[in-house]
Each structure stands twice: as structure tokens, then as C-alpha cells.
């Protein structure tokens, strides 16, 4: 699991996000309880991390009865996320280059 966590951290996830995502891959669709036990993380940390992963599109949830079940997205979404971040950075590179050139002129 450590190798996977390191790879996800290199892709921009926090350690908590990587840990929860990998645990969800292993557990499949699950409620928060088993996820909390598997990750050995505090309940509030798991819920906060799930929220962040949902915002990034790495996790989704469905409500069955009165329970919320969380599920990891297809791991290929990580590559799509990285491509999107790369495109965002490409858009600001000219701005950074301009700032650098102006600093050299001073």
C-alpha cells in the first residue's frame, strides 16, 4: 500500500487522501465505518478527506436506505486530473515567464 500512497502523493494527493482512496479501492462500495476502521484515521478526518476527494472527482456516494455508501472512481481519473492540472499550468507559464523577464530587466 505504501507504494500506491507514494505514487498518489506524487500526483498531488495528501497522505490522507491517498490512504482513503486506496482503502476505498480495496473495500469497494462501503459506509464510513469500515473505512474508518481500515484506515485507522479519526472519523472527522475520514469525512473531511472524503469531501475533498469528492470535490476532485475521485470518490462518489449513493444513499441506500438511510446510509451513505462511498465508492472510489475509476483509477484512470487520476490521469485525467493530472492532464487538467497540466493544462492549467501551461496557461500561466507565459505569465510567469513575463514576470521573470521583468525582474531581470530591473
Amino acid at each position: 500500500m505504501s507504494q500506491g500512497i507514494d505514487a498518489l502523493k506524487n500526483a498531488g494527493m495528501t497522505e490522507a487522501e491517498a490512504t482513503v482512496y486506496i482503502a476505498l479501492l480495496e473495500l469497494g462500495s462501503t459506509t464510513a465505518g469500515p473505512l474508518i476502521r481500515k484506515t485507522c484515521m479519526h472519523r472527522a478526518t475520514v469525512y473531511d478527506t472524503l469531501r475533498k476527494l469528492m470535490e476532485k472527482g475521485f470518490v462518489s456516494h449513493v444513499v441506500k436506505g438511510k446510509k451513505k455508501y462511498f465508492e472510489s472512481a475509476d483509477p484512470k481519473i487520476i490521469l485525467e486530473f493530472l492532464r487538467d492540472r497540466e493544462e492549467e499550468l501551461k496557461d500561466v507559464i507565459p505569465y510567469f515567464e513575463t514576470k521573470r523577464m521583468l525582474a531581470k530587466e530591473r
Side-chain angles (χ1 to χ4, degrees), residues 39-66:
T39 61
C40 299
M41 295 167 67
H42 189 275
R43 179 181 183 276
T45 303
V46 170
Y47 276 105
D48 185 52
T49 302
L50 284 167
R51 180 187 53 77
K52 290 175 185 174
L53 288 169
M54 285 189 281
E55 287 172 1
K56 294 177 180 179
F58 296 133
V59 170
S60 62
H61 75 272
V62 294
V63 177
K64 297 178 188 174
K66 293 183 180 184

Side-chain angles (χ1 to χ4, degrees), residues 23-31 70-72:
L24 275 174
L25 289 172
E26 293 171 353
L27 291 170
S29 183
T30 186
T31 58
F70 299 95
E71 189 171 321
S72 62

